[in-house]
Amino acid sequence: MLIQIKVAMQYRFMQPNTVLLALEAAHYDGQQIVNAHININDTEVSRFAGDADVGQRIIARARSHDMNLTYSAQVDVTRSSRPLHLLQAAPLHLVPGAVIPYLRASRYCQSDKFTHFVDSRFGDLAGGQKIAAIRDWIEGELTYVPGSSDADTSVLETFAGRVGVCRDYAHLMCTMARAAQIPARMVAAYSPDITPPDFHALAEVWLEGAWHLVDATGMCSPESTAVIAVGRDAYDIAFMESQVPAEMLYQSVSVVRG
């Protein structure tokens, strides 16, 4: 599936600033970058590899108080999804060292607090069957409410309030999977199935020796998802981190098929 992505941003800073950006679709399994172009006005730009070598992050040093950015890309998503309930989880001693960090609790995903709940609610299931049941439980229990959370909202608040946005759904998915001793990580992505169009967050789980995308919001599928970045939680995949307060003047994200 071909996906066309267009992003435009205008931000104003209190002083010349350095920002960390994660918004380019990654060269990643199951997707190919057909073409891409990014332009950031009046900045000095450098790059480094993203977490787990997925994608690249941009360090942009703005010489003025304003940053104007445009990004466009065409991505060919070639992955297909496998039914989760058919996938097996690896025994802990066979999980690769590079995957082990995604079993641990993190800033927004306090998975150690959910062990009892996951055991009592999903303890009769294993592997992909457990992941599918957790995904369905989250989609059924949470209500998607724009503006219901902010950058400080943790999974404990999401679980208690049962409302959130994609970030919160993904946090809860990662948290419960880790509590079940199945590695899970947060994913930033684009998809034409997100309404309104925006940066999207979902999860990846480690089953049968590979990462598999899981969207607890039910909005998008692996076949329609272009991955940007991965990390332990939202802290690692934010599309922009600023060293000083930033005022958003304009922001637009467009993702369409074709």
Side-chain angles (χ1 to χ4, degrees), residues 16-17 41-45 61-66:
N17 185 29
N41 73 301
D42 197 24
T43 56
E44 178 183 339
V45 170
R61 183 172 178 269
R63 299 185 180 93
S64 67
H65 291 257
D66 291 346

Side-chain angles (χ1 to χ4, degrees), residues 59-81:
I59 300 177
R61 183 172 178 269
R63 299 185 180 93
S64 67
H65 291 257
D66 291 346
M67 181 185 75
N68 296 318
L69 179 152
T70 58
Y71 169 66
S72 62
Q74 184 180 49
V75 183
D76 187 11
V77 180
T78 58
R79 76 175 61 84
S80 58
S81 58

Side-chain angles (χ1 to χ4, degrees), residues 33 39-41 50 59 77 84 87 98 124-125 134 139 150 160 218:
I33 311 303
N39 182 67
I40 313 173
N41 73 301
I59 300 177
V77 180
L84 287 173
L87 303 176
D124 59 331
L125 301 172
I134 291 171
E139 185 177 357
D150 58 31

Side-chain angles (χ1 to χ4, degrees), residues 76-153:
D76 187 11
V77 180
T78 58
R79 76 175 61 84
S80 58
S81 58
R82 295 176 61 188
L84 287 173
H85 69 277
L86 299 178
L87 303 176
Q88 303 298 313
L92 187 58
H93 69 284
L94 295 180
V95 175
V99 177
I100 288 290
Y102 301 109
L103 278 168
R104 299 175 183 144
S106 61
R107 177 175 179 174
Y108 295 113
C109 298
Q110 297 97 321
S111 52
D112 53 316
K113 307 295 185 183
F114 285 80
T115 303
H116 176 71
F117 174 80
V118 170
D119 284 347
S120 62
R121 184 67 177 78
F122 307 104
D124 59 331
L125 301 172
Q129 289 184 334
K130 182 175 287 189
I131 291 297
I134 291 171
R135 177 202 59 199
D136 293 346
W137 184 91
I138 294 171
E139 185 177 357
E141 289 290 323
L142 266 61
T143 301
Y144 195 98
V145 179
S148 58
S149 64
D150 58 31
D152 293 323
T153 302

Side-chain angles (χ1 to χ4, degrees), residues 135 139 166 169 194 200-203 213-221:
R135 177 202 59 199
E139 185 177 357
C166 61
Y169 281 69
I194 305 304
H200 189 53
L202 64 162
L213 292 166
V214 181
D215 187 3
T217 70
M219 290 187 187
C220 63
S221 67

